Amino acid sequence: MTERQGLFTVQTSLYLSPENRARLEHLVRERRSNPPDVVSQILAEHPLSQLSSDTDGANGEPIHMRIYLTPEQRQAFETYLATHKTTFSALVSRIVADHLATLPVPPPAPPPPRPKADLAKRRADLARLKARRDEAGKEAPAWLHAYIAQMEAELRRLEREA
């Protein structure tokens, strides 16, 4: 642990289920913050005395995380860890998982915007490849014929959608 601006910086791993990971990602985007700040705020809002005893804190893929603790929080964590058989990362994971479980399921991420097809460029590329095929005549490789056919089909599809 290092002390920075009155807070202790702690490196740990956060173990979250895929659902809770999605909730955390949504929470970070919603608050327009970064994961260490959001997790540190969650830890500050949830005293260890209110920790449920039925939550396992070591499920899921690890997320390597830096968190910030006040001296009082650090002391509370050290006291809790001294009296309970758990690790710091499991304890932090339990607290964060308990908090995230109270949040609603985030809405699905919107699909990425479809790239605008530059039809003129595709037509020019197709014309260039056809010229190359015609120039080679019977010597043109089979892959070139197949590639041109694919490009033509893709161009037709894009023209229908436009």
Side-chain angles (χ1 to χ4, degrees):
M1 289 189 211
T2 60
E3 189 169 355
R4 191 182 98 201
Q5 299 175 346
L7 298 176
F8 290 93
T9 304
V10 182
Q11 288 288 125
T12 189
S13 293
L14 193 60
Y15 295 90
L16 296 175
S17 66
E19 296 82 19
N20 280 338
R21 185 179 186 130
R23 285 182 175 122
L24 179 61
E25 289 170 357
H26 180 72
L27 190 60
V28 167
R29 281 191 306 273
E30 188 178 75
R31 292 184 181 182
R32 291 187 166 92
S33 190
N34 58 39
D37 290 337
V38 171
V39 170
S40 297
Q41 187 176 8
I42 291 170
L43 295 176
E45 294 170 355
H46 291 81
L48 293 175
S49 60
Q50 296 178 358
L51 186 61
S52 66
S53 59
D54 62 342
T55 307
D56 183 18
N59 292 333
E61 292 291 318
I63 304 169
H64 301 291
M65 178 78 54
R66 177 180 40 235
I67 58 174
Y68 308 108
L69 301 174
T70 64
E72 295 80 20
Q73 285 177 301
R74 179 181 176 212
Q75 184 60 44
F77 275 106
E78 287 176 351
T79 303
Y80 187 92
L81 292 172
T83 59
H84 293 80
K85 289 189 174 192
T86 189
T87 63
F88 182 74
S89 60
L91 179 59
V92 170
S93 297
R94 283 177 52 192
I95 295 169
V96 173
D98 285 352
H99 175 76
L100 294 174
T102 65
L103 300 178
V105 176
R114 295 181 54 163
K116 294 182 180 179
D118 186 1
L119 296 177
K121 181 181 181 312
R122 289 179 185 259
R123 286 185 191 110
D125 288 344
L126 182 60
R128 182 180 50 78
L129 288 171
K130 283 183 174 180
R132 184 174 170 191
R133 178 195 62 192
D134 295 344
E135 183 182 303
K138 292 182 181 181
E139 303 291 319
W143 67 264
L144 184 57
H145 292 287
Y147 188 57
I148 289 172
Q150 277 183 328
M151 285 187 72
E152 288 172 333
E154 178 70 8
L155 191 57
R156 281 191 300 272
R157 184 186 66 78
L158 291 172
E159 287 171 341
R160 278 193 308 268
E161 291 177 1

